[in-house]
Amino acid sequence: YDVGNAASYATLSDKLVIDNSNADSAGALIFGNFATDALTINGDLTVTGYLKSGTGSIADNDSTPSVASYNTFIYAGSANAVSIDALDDHVVGCYYTIIGNSNTYTITVIDGTPAGGDSFNLAGGNWVGGSQDVLMLYCIAADAFIEVSRSDN
């Protein structure tokens, strides 16, 4: 499917081209390949709502999980409870959601600044995440987070 002036893609299958010129995949404003489930936006993108980037997991005993690839994390602990000291690879201005998945092996985020860790300003105090409990954080500065919301089921 093509929109605009990208007539050269009119005969190609499994492609999406949105542009007002005869641009190729590297220059079209939006280029999609349905066969590979890939979408490229060549330009600035503004999102006015929530942008989900998938769900990662926090492993047993990982007190400083990397949040580079995802914004939402489920504690996958099956042998130990864990306390989060820091969120590695975070980005200022991003939201992060942590979800517990067990009432036996809980995940804890401590209000304050653990030794050598990030600063967590939690309005409700320490958060202990059991099964389907949710904590949403917002990164306000390098190594500083504030609580946006929490649910304790």
Side-chain angles (χ1 to χ4, degrees), residues 30 34 42 65 74 92 111 125 128 146:
I30 299 174
F34 294 104
N42 294 305
I74 297 175
V92 174
D111 185 28
V128 179
I146 58 171

Side-chain angles (χ1 to χ4, degrees), residues 13-35:
S13 61
D14 292 329
K15 301 289 189 285
L16 167 72
V17 180
I18 300 176
D19 199 76
N20 66 354
S21 69
N22 198 17
D24 60 8
S25 61
L29 178 63
I30 299 174
F31 181 82
N33 186 332
F34 294 104

Side-chain angles (χ1 to χ4, degrees), residues 4 10 31-32 35 37 40 42 52 54 56 58 62-63 74 76 89-90 100 107 120 134 139 143 151:
F31 181 82
D37 289 333
T40 301
N42 294 305
K52 182 180 178 193
I58 298 173
D62 188 357
S63 63
I74 297 175
D89 308 312
H90 56 270
I107 182 168
F120 295 104
V134 177
C139 184
D143 303 326
S151 68

Side-chain angles (χ1 to χ4, degrees), residues 49-70:
Y50 179 72
L51 179 64
K52 182 180 178 193
S53 63
T55 301
S57 64
I58 298 173
D60 275 330
N61 300 318
D62 188 357
S63 63
T64 59
S66 172
V67 295
S69 298
Y70 305 104

